[in-house]
Structures are given as C-alpha cells and as structure tokens.
Amino acid sequence: MMTDAAALAGRHLDLVSAPFTLPRSRVLVFRAEDGEGVRVHTSEYERRLSECRVLDGIEILDADGTVLPVTDVLPARVSFGGALRLVAPLLAQEPSASPRSLSERSETKGATLTFADPSTLSVGGAPGLRVRLTHPDGRTEEHPLGDGILLRIAADRTVAVEPGDHAAALIATEAIWADWFAKCPTVRDDLQEMTAFCWWVLGANIVELPSLGDARAIVPSKIGYVGLWQWDAYFIAVGLRHGDPELAREQLDIAFRFPQPDGQLPDVVHELGVLATSDDLPESDRANLRRAGSQIADPSAPVPLTKPPLAAWALRKVLEIEDAPDYARTQLARIVRSQDWWFAGSDLDHDGMPEYGHPYSSGLDDSPIFDGPLPTAAPDLGAYLVRQDLELASLLQRYEPAADVARFRERAAATQELLLRMWDQGRGRFLAFGSGEPQLSDTVVGLMPLLTGTLPAPIAEALRSAVDDPERFGLEWGLPTVAASDPDFSDERMWRGPVWVNTSMLVAEGLEASGYAERARELREQIVALVIHGGGPHEYFNPRTGFKADRATTAFGWSAALFIDLAVQLS
C-alpha cells in the first residue's frame, strides 16, 4: 500500500501547486520560472515566497551543456532527464548493505534531487553531469555531481555547497515517506488517488516550531500560512485521526496549550509565540484592527483574536479512533475554560448571546455579515456554542463521571432560545446582527444552526430546502458561502461565494444531525467530487466552474484532511 500511495500522490506533484518538500522541512522546491530546472525558497511565518528566495535556479547540465528537463516527481525525489532507480528488493534482501553498495547496484539515468536532512538538499546522478546554481543576486556557479553534492541552506538563506553521499540521502528520504504513506487510509477505489495526495499534503505541511521543542505542527500551507491556526488544527486533526491519531492529538494539544489568563484560546500558535489579541500583531496592523474592533468594547483596548468554538467537537472525533483518557481530561479542562470565556468575555452587549468582536475570530473574515458595525452576533457562533456545550456534557460524563454537567446542558438550551430569535420568519432564514442591526446577506452561516440537531421541524426543513435551492445554495459544484441569488455573491472573492470544504462539511454534519442523513451523504459525495474535479485540496473553489479560485492557496491543510475524513466515511 505504501508504494502505491506514494506513486498515486506523485501524479499530483507538479512543482507548481504542489512543491517538493519534506516533513519538518522549511525548504520548498518549485519549477523554475523559465521552465528549466527548479528554484528553491524557504517557508517562513508572515513572509511571502518572493521574500524567501534561496536559489533562483538549480539546473542539471550534460556534457554538452544542455539543461536536462524535469522528467518525473515523486514524494522522495525529483528526476532530471531520467531517474536514478534503486533496486527495490535490495532493502528487503540486504538490510545491512551500505549506501555505497546500493549506489553500485542502481541503474543511473540522468540525475535526481532529494533531501539529506530538513535543511539540506542533495543532488546526484550519472557521471559527467554538472549542476548549475543561480543565486538571487544573479551569481552562478557550477559543480560536477560526482557521488553527489549537498546544498546546506542556512537560516539567512545562504547556501553552502559540499560533497555528499547522494545514494544514502535518497534512501533516507524514501524511508521517511514510506513510513508516512504506510499510514495512509485505504478508501473506495475512486477516492484512493486523491486520498493519497491529500495524505501527502498533510505530511508535507508538517513543520517544527522551535519554541515548542520537538512539537510537530501541521500548518495550513507552507506557502504563506506557517503557523498552527486554531480552527485549522481542529479540521486537520479530524482527517489526520484516520492514519495517525497520535499526531492528530498533538495538533489539538498545541492549539489548547496557550490559553490567555481568562481562558480564551489564541487564534494562532507560531514559531515566535502566539496571536491572541491585536497587540500580538505588528504595530502597522494594530490601529486598523482596533478601528475594526468592537464598538461596544473599549476601542483603545486590544481586540481578542480567536476562532469559533469547535474544540470539543474535534476532541470527540479524535478520541473516537483511539481513546486517551488522561489526555482527554487535560484537554477538557482547557476547553471548558475557553467555552466559559465566550460567555464571560465575548458577550459584549450582555444579552446572553456571545458575539464576534472581530471578523478574524469567525474564521470567515471577509463574509458580508461583517460589512456592518461590530460586534456581530451570528447564527453560526450560536450553533457552535450550543453544540460545544452538549459535546462537553457528553465528554465530561465519560471522562469525569463526578462532574456536574447540568450547567452545560442548561446553557445549551438557553443559547438555543437566543439563537432562535435570529430566525427571520418572513425571509425564511437566520440573520446575523451587527451591533443590533440585522445583516441581510444570505450566507452559509445561516445554515449552521442545523448542527444543533434540535431545531423546530419547520425551521430545519426550511434550511434543508435552502441547501437544495439552485438559486441559493444548490449549485452544481457545491455549497457557496454566499447564496448565488444574493447581491453580495462573488464566485471568486474569499468567503463571499466560493465553496470551502470545511463549511460544506459542517453543513453536511448539520443535515445528518437534523434527520436528513441521505441528503448529508449526497452533499459529502459532492464535496469529494469537487476536490477531484478541481485537481486537489485547494483553499477554496469557484462554485460555477468547480476549479480553484484564482487567489486560493493550493495543497491546503484542512481541505486535504477533510477530504480524507469524508473519503473514509463514504467508504
């Protein structure tokens, strides 16, 4: 299975939307801009790729000076003009064989690039080949490949060139990916190739956070999103649990490890610390954030930045695969404090229903529900809070039998009563309210109350009808984040129309919780069909074409993880 999964994933490694990288590495290899050779960047928090250039070109030259093209890409190596193919049975038959003897038993054609360690690339190939390196300042240098050369990339992005044992590097990298793909879930035949690629995405997006010792964080993307976002960690853990439940638990642990004194969980854990309020952002961003922050809260105070309360939901799903009672009790204590913070620290108008004090905290930053004044009381937040209190009651009964869970169930019931007040009978949908003013945009947040599973039947049926309505949410390629009939709809603009895998998956869960199991299954099938049609687990998709939206990130963590989760369910 591991070899098959790696080969299936390799079909999608185009070095454009999916770069060549290694778990724990901050090095990314892309096709060169001119189409010849490859270029190298580092992956850094809050820095664009253009700011992280290491080499503008690595080219393999034959004896005549001709540049060998990239001919094949697999998770463990990039081939130029052919492949350096290790004899497959050798590892099993001769485990004590030295890297040198392995190299001698190989068939060498062209050259290959691989990793020697997370910060070092290795290049090797046939006799007579040379490698040409082009630096960002325009300098070039050439080296004969010999037995291989190492490109050691320092923290300042400078490169040191040294001789190396390429055969040994290739074997070590193959082993890393073989271990990873051995855990890839087996699913329905028509979903297996994309599942393998999505499993590669999760492995490729593993980074180390030096401030946390040996912590392994799966970031949303090594292209621009190098940190552990709270919401992303939940969705990534839900998919990861099917192959590596220990690593799934680690994602939640990192997300929960740094609460504020009042229990609020930070938006992001990154290599330099956490992002929990506007004061944790660069000075240039603070004034804008504070101006956009709550009009009810002190405008001169830091704006809390967090993500919606799906922590207990994610914890329960991860524990379904592999129980861990001591771990569960530790995390539940943190989640209870976070849930209490929402009611004590984010009910900014003191009416009993918490609000989003800033769009960042919703996860749907650009949704038109935030076009009005802040804070915003939103039906999705109400639904998440109801669901989380019910999840907490259930988990505490299991792991803390002596705990009094009545308060969680009572608070869930009270929150649902307030949530139902957001229902606009005339319009037949839930509305958000900005500083008490109704926000009339017809968005996916209005479908999230299905997650409670306890809506009055006529309201639940109205939401199911909205999901099916081709004028609103029932589009060919999935569930838009703003209804197609709404004036605010855009098929390309983030959170204002494109299809996102996570919101679609949550609506499917809501349909099932509300008694529409078959419709939920149909929506799940539509989601996986979208990802396959669109060519991979992109950040978001154009709902008219089913392809990646123009500005969306590729190889996106939660899209990959949730595809895997859906594929397992559907299989």
Side-chain angles (χ1 to χ4, degrees), residues 191-522:
L191 303 178
Q192 190 64 64
E193 179 177 322
M194 187 55 69
T195 295
F197 178 49
C198 289
W199 193 248
W200 174 87
V201 169
L202 296 184
N205 285 353
I206 296 173
V207 303
E208 292 180 337
L209 299 176
S211 61
L212 303 183
D214 60 355
R216 301 168 295 170
I218 297 183
V219 301
S221 171
K222 284 183 178 175
I223 307 172
Y225 290 97
V226 189
L228 184 135
W229 271 257
Q230 183 194 144
W231 222 26
D232 298 69
Y234 300 160
F235 297 127
I236 287 170
V238 164
L240 190 62
R241 65 185 173 138
H242 297 294
D244 196 335
E246 179 184 0
L247 188 53
R249 292 194 298 272
E250 188 170 350
Q251 304 316 295
L252 299 185
D253 178 70
I254 296 171
F256 301 154
R257 198 184 298 181
F258 303 100
Q260 298 297 286
D262 57 8
Q264 176 215 331
L265 292 173
D267 186 3
V268 189
V269 178
H270 56 84
E271 57 196 357
L272 304 177
V274 301
L275 172 61
T277 78
S278 52
D279 279 354
D280 297 323
L281 287 164
E283 182 58 39
S284 58
D285 294 341
R286 296 180 192 176
N288 288 339
L289 277 172
R290 286 177 177 171
R291 279 195 295 271
S294 169
Q295 295 184 3
I296 292 175
D298 179 358
S300 66
V303 179
L305 302 176
T306 185
K307 279 294 182 283
L310 285 170
W313 169 84
L315 178 63
R316 187 255 303 165
K317 284 183 172 285
V318 168
L319 294 171
E320 285 174 353
I321 300 298
E322 185 175 276
D323 202 9
D326 291 341
Y327 169 89
R329 284 186 280 270
T330 297
Q331 308 309 336
L332 279 170
R334 295 165 169 171
I335 297 171
V336 167
R337 292 191 66 227
S338 170
Q339 179 79 342
D340 289 343
W341 170 81
W342 277 101
F343 290 91
S346 204
D347 178 11
L348 300 172
D349 59 4
H350 309 292
D351 68 348
M353 174 63 83
E355 295 90 24
Y356 292 125
H358 190 275
Y360 280 13
S361 296
S362 75
L364 282 70
D365 316 1
D366 294 335
S367 173
I369 69 168
F370 299 111
D371 288 353
L374 294 168
T376 302
D380 63 327
L381 178 55
Y384 299 146
L385 290 167
V386 171
R387 181 71 177 260
Q388 178 135 291
D389 267 330
L390 295 176
E391 297 272 15
L392 282 171
S394 177
L395 288 167
L396 287 167
Q397 275 191 316
R398 178 178 176 182
Y399 294 104
E400 300 279 8
D404 179 9
V405 300
R407 77 177 182 100
F408 299 102
R409 293 200 174 100
E410 291 167 1
R411 187 165 62 189
T415 305
Q416 178 143 329
E417 286 300 313
L418 295 171
L419 174 61
L420 290 173
R421 295 181 190 177
M422 297 181 180
W423 178 253
D424 186 306
Q425 183 63 39
R427 292 182 172 86
R429 64 177 190 259
F430 283 94
L431 299 180
F433 292 83
S435 285
E437 299 177 12
Q439 304 301 300
L440 301 181
S441 296
D442 188 9
T443 76
V444 72
V445 304
L447 302 177
M448 293 304 171
L450 287 165
L451 282 166
T452 66
T454 52
L455 292 175
I459 294 179
E461 180 60 25
L463 297 186
R464 186 206 60 78
S465 296
V467 171
D468 291 341
D469 187 345
E471 299 298 318
R472 293 176 67 192
F473 295 101
L475 303 189
E476 178 184 2
W477 288 111
L479 202 72
T481 40
V482 173
S485 56
D486 193 275
D488 291 318
F489 172 81
S490 165
D491 56 13
E492 283 283 328
R493 189 173 169 189
M494 179 185 285
W495 294 123
R496 301 178 84 96
V499 178
W500 289 69
V501 173
N502 67 324
T503 51
S504 301
M505 177 278 304
L506 288 171
V507 171
E509 284 231 348
L511 288 166
E512 185 167 31
S514 297
Y516 302 104
E518 179 57 24
R519 185 64 186 91
R521 186 195 65 78
E522 292 170 358

Side-chain angles (χ1 to χ4, degrees), residues 41-75:
H41 297 254
T42 52
S43 175
E44 302 177 32
Y45 179 67
E46 290 294 301
R47 286 185 180 275
R48 299 178 180 179
L49 280 179
S50 59
E51 301 175 272
C52 302
R53 292 159 60 197
V54 175
L55 290 168
D56 286 351
I58 298 178
E59 295 171 316
I60 307 300
L61 309 177
D62 67 13
D64 297 325
T66 302
V67 177
L68 301 185
V70 173
T71 53
D72 188 35
V73 184
L74 283 174

